[in-house]
Amino acid sequence: MTTALTGRSYDDITVGEQLPELAIPLTRTLIVATALATRDFQDVHHDPELAQQRGSKDVFMNILTSNGLAGRFVTDWAGPFATVRRVKIRLGAPNYPGDTMTMTGEVVAKENGVVEVKIVGANSLGNHLAGTVTVSFPDAYPSSEGKDA
């Protein structure tokens, strides 16, 4: 069975285009597992009691996870042939378990195969992250025609 990969065409993208919203449930498992997966063993990301002793109401998401989710949000929209060139975000309100972060985005620039997307990830406390993700697109999508699958 062959599965065709699909993605956005650079020519079909327009400045001002809105990306589809992405709601990410902020489970304790997501926050702890992604901190450990990124080798961030700071206790504020996995131990509620120690996080509270350090002034937080609970464990909270680490920046590496926030960066990864920012990139994922844009590449889910752009497709498998786009390449992330830069993720530039600033953090704001913490992502705590039990909340939801909703990602929104807008294409703000497009030139020479490169697209810049302004993104915001907001939760009930405000903006968790805001910034830009820059992706490049190949001139033509790879073709499987005439090749053995």
Side-chain angles (χ1 to χ4, degrees):
M1 176 179 195
T2 302
T3 302
L5 295 175
T6 59
R8 297 298 309 263
S9 166
Y10 175 77
D11 292 335
D12 294 334
I13 296 170
T14 58
V15 173
E17 180 177 343
Q18 300 291 312
L19 278 64
E21 281 189 2
L22 174 65
I24 301 169
L26 302 172
T27 65
R28 185 170 304 278
T29 299
L30 173 70
I31 292 169
V32 173
T34 56
L36 297 177
T38 60
R39 302 178 62 92
D40 185 343
F41 303 117
Q42 294 293 316
D43 50 36
V44 294
H45 302 305
H46 65 85
D47 188 322
E49 287 182 29
L50 289 173
Q52 289 171 355
Q53 287 176 14
R54 286 164 178 66
S56 180
K57 77 174 193 175
D58 202 341
V59 296
F60 55 90
M61 184 173 282
N62 73 345
I63 191 169
L64 296 172
T65 302
S66 300
N67 267 311
L69 292 173
R72 172 215 168 175
F73 172 59
V74 175
T75 58
D76 280 359
W77 164 80
F81 301 113
T83 302
V84 174
R85 296 293 181 188
R86 182 175 76 171
V87 176
K88 184 178 178 183
I89 62 171
R90 296 192 86 154
L91 294 182
N95 269 342
Y96 289 123
D99 207 343
T100 299
M101 179 173 66
T102 301
M103 301 289 300
T104 58
E106 176 184 359
V107 175
V108 294
K110 175 185 171 187
E111 186 176 352
N112 298 325
V114 177
V115 173
E116 184 175 56
V117 180
K118 179 181 171 185
I119 62 167
V120 172
N123 61 39
S124 67
L125 299 174
N127 288 346
H128 169 67
L129 64 84
T132 58
V133 176
T134 305
V135 292
S136 64
F137 290 79
D139 291 338
Y141 282 38
S143 172
S144 62
E145 291 181 25
K147 297 182 180 177
D148 293 330

